[in-house]
Short mmCIF file of all heavy atoms in Angstrom, two decimals:
data_model
loop_
_atom_site.label_atom_id
_atom_site.label_comp_id
_atom_site.label_asym_id
_atom_site.label_seq_id
_atom_site.Cartn_x
_atom_site.Cartn_y
_atom_site.Cartn_z
N ALA Z 659 3.34 9.29 10.76
CA ALA Z 659 4.09 8.42 9.86
C ALA Z 659 3.77 8.83 8.42
O ALA Z 659 2.78 9.49 8.16
CB ALA Z 659 3.70 6.96 10.08
N PRO Z 660 4.68 8.48 7.48
CA PRO Z 660 4.40 8.82 6.09
C PRO Z 660 3.04 8.31 5.66
O PRO Z 660 2.69 7.15 5.91
CB PRO Z 660 5.53 8.10 5.34
CG PRO Z 660 6.63 7.99 6.33
CD PRO Z 660 5.96 7.80 7.66
N GLY Z 661 2.24 9.17 5.04
CA GLY Z 661 0.89 8.79 4.66
C GLY Z 661 0.80 8.37 3.21
O GLY Z 661 1.71 8.61 2.41
N ASN Z 662 -0.28 7.74 2.85
CA ASN Z 662 -0.49 7.29 1.48
C ASN Z 662 -1.01 8.46 0.65
O ASN Z 662 -2.21 8.62 0.46
CB ASN Z 662 -1.48 6.13 1.46
CG ASN Z 662 -1.62 5.53 0.07
OD1 ASN Z 662 -0.87 5.86 -0.83
ND2 ASN Z 662 -2.58 4.65 -0.08
N PHE Z 663 -0.08 9.27 0.15
CA PHE Z 663 -0.48 10.52 -0.50
C PHE Z 663 -1.00 10.33 -1.92
O PHE Z 663 -1.64 11.20 -2.47
CB PHE Z 663 0.70 11.50 -0.52
CG PHE Z 663 1.93 10.98 -1.21
CD1 PHE Z 663 2.07 11.02 -2.58
CD2 PHE Z 663 2.95 10.41 -0.46
CE1 PHE Z 663 3.20 10.55 -3.20
CE2 PHE Z 663 4.08 9.92 -1.08
CZ PHE Z 663 4.21 9.99 -2.45
N TYR Z 664 -0.70 9.19 -2.55
CA TYR Z 664 -1.14 9.00 -3.93
C TYR Z 664 -2.60 8.57 -3.94
O TYR Z 664 -2.97 7.59 -3.33
CB TYR Z 664 -0.28 7.94 -4.63
CG TYR Z 664 -0.53 7.86 -6.10
CD1 TYR Z 664 0.21 8.63 -7.00
CD2 TYR Z 664 -1.54 7.05 -6.61
CE1 TYR Z 664 -0.04 8.56 -8.36
CE2 TYR Z 664 -1.80 7.00 -7.97
CZ TYR Z 664 -1.04 7.75 -8.83
OH TYR Z 664 -1.29 7.71 -10.17
N ASN Z 665 -3.42 9.32 -4.67
CA ASN Z 665 -4.86 9.03 -4.67
C ASN Z 665 -5.43 9.41 -6.02
O ASN Z 665 -5.49 10.58 -6.37
CB ASN Z 665 -5.55 9.81 -3.55
CG ASN Z 665 -6.97 9.35 -3.34
OD1 ASN Z 665 -7.62 8.86 -4.25
ND2 ASN Z 665 -7.47 9.53 -2.13
N GLU Z 666 -5.85 8.42 -6.77
CA GLU Z 666 -6.35 8.68 -8.11
C GLU Z 666 -7.70 9.39 -8.11
O GLU Z 666 -8.16 9.85 -9.14
CB GLU Z 666 -6.45 7.38 -8.92
CG GLU Z 666 -5.10 6.88 -9.38
CD GLU Z 666 -5.20 6.05 -10.65
OE1 GLU Z 666 -6.28 6.03 -11.25
OE2 GLU Z 666 -4.20 5.43 -11.02
N SER Z 667 -8.34 9.48 -6.95
CA SER Z 667 -9.58 10.25 -6.90
C SER Z 667 -9.28 11.74 -6.83
O SER Z 667 -10.19 12.56 -6.93
CB SER Z 667 -10.40 9.84 -5.67
OG SER Z 667 -9.76 10.29 -4.48
N GLY Z 668 -7.99 12.07 -6.66
CA GLY Z 668 -7.62 13.48 -6.59
C GLY Z 668 -7.68 14.06 -5.21
O GLY Z 668 -7.53 15.26 -5.03
N ASP Z 669 -7.89 13.23 -4.19
CA ASP Z 669 -7.94 13.70 -2.81
C ASP Z 669 -6.51 13.96 -2.33
O ASP Z 669 -5.68 13.06 -2.31
CB ASP Z 669 -8.61 12.64 -1.94
CG ASP Z 669 -8.71 13.07 -0.49
OD1 ASP Z 669 -8.38 14.24 -0.20
OD2 ASP Z 669 -9.12 12.25 0.34
N LEU Z 670 -6.23 15.21 -1.93
CA LEU Z 670 -4.87 15.58 -1.51
C LEU Z 670 -4.72 15.62 0.00
O LEU Z 670 -3.74 16.18 0.50
CB LEU Z 670 -4.52 16.96 -2.08
CG LEU Z 670 -4.37 17.03 -3.61
CD1 LEU Z 670 -4.14 18.47 -4.04
CD2 LEU Z 670 -3.22 16.16 -4.09
N SER Z 671 -5.66 15.04 0.74
CA SER Z 671 -5.60 15.14 2.20
C SER Z 671 -4.33 14.52 2.76
O SER Z 671 -3.75 15.03 3.71
CB SER Z 671 -6.83 14.49 2.82
OG SER Z 671 -6.93 13.13 2.43
N ALA Z 672 -3.86 13.40 2.18
CA ALA Z 672 -2.64 12.76 2.69
C ALA Z 672 -1.44 13.65 2.45
O ALA Z 672 -0.56 13.77 3.31
CB ALA Z 672 -2.45 11.40 2.03
N SER Z 673 -1.36 14.28 1.29
CA SER Z 673 -0.26 15.20 1.02
C SER Z 673 -0.31 16.40 1.96
O SER Z 673 0.72 16.87 2.44
CB SER Z 673 -0.31 15.68 -0.44
OG SER Z 673 -0.03 14.63 -1.33
N LYS Z 674 -1.52 16.87 2.23
CA LYS Z 674 -1.65 18.00 3.17
C LYS Z 674 -1.24 17.60 4.57
O LYS Z 674 -0.66 18.40 5.31
CB LYS Z 674 -3.08 18.54 3.13
CG LYS Z 674 -3.41 19.32 1.87
CD LYS Z 674 -4.73 20.06 1.98
CE LYS Z 674 -5.90 19.12 1.89
NZ LYS Z 674 -7.19 19.83 1.84
N ASP Z 675 -1.53 16.37 4.95
CA ASP Z 675 -1.13 15.91 6.27
C ASP Z 675 0.38 15.90 6.41
O ASP Z 675 0.92 16.24 7.46
CB ASP Z 675 -1.67 14.50 6.53
CG ASP Z 675 -3.17 14.50 6.77
OD1 ASP Z 675 -3.72 15.59 7.07
OD2 ASP Z 675 -3.80 13.45 6.66
N LEU Z 676 1.08 15.49 5.34
CA LEU Z 676 2.53 15.49 5.39
C LEU Z 676 3.08 16.91 5.51
O LEU Z 676 4.09 17.14 6.15
CB LEU Z 676 3.10 14.83 4.12
CG LEU Z 676 2.81 13.33 3.97
CD1 LEU Z 676 3.29 12.84 2.62
CD2 LEU Z 676 3.45 12.53 5.08
N LEU Z 677 2.39 17.86 4.88
CA LEU Z 677 2.81 19.25 4.93
C LEU Z 677 2.40 19.93 6.23
O LEU Z 677 2.98 20.93 6.64
CB LEU Z 677 2.21 20.00 3.74
CG LEU Z 677 2.65 21.44 3.49
CD1 LEU Z 677 4.14 21.50 3.23
CD2 LEU Z 677 1.89 22.02 2.31
N HIS Z 678 1.39 19.37 6.88
CA HIS Z 678 0.80 20.01 8.07
C HIS Z 678 1.81 20.21 9.18
O HIS Z 678 1.74 21.18 9.94
CB HIS Z 678 -0.37 19.16 8.56
CG HIS Z 678 -1.20 19.83 9.62
ND1 HIS Z 678 -1.94 20.97 9.37
CD2 HIS Z 678 -1.38 19.54 10.93
CE1 HIS Z 678 -2.55 21.34 10.49
NE2 HIS Z 678 -2.22 20.49 11.44
#
Side-chain angles (χ1 to χ4, degrees):
N662 186 10
F663 57 83
Y664 189 91
N665 191 333
E666 285 207 10
S667 70
D669 181 7
L670 293 175
S671 58
S673 292
K674 287 191 286 186
D675 287 343
L676 294 174
L677 187 61
H678 190 65

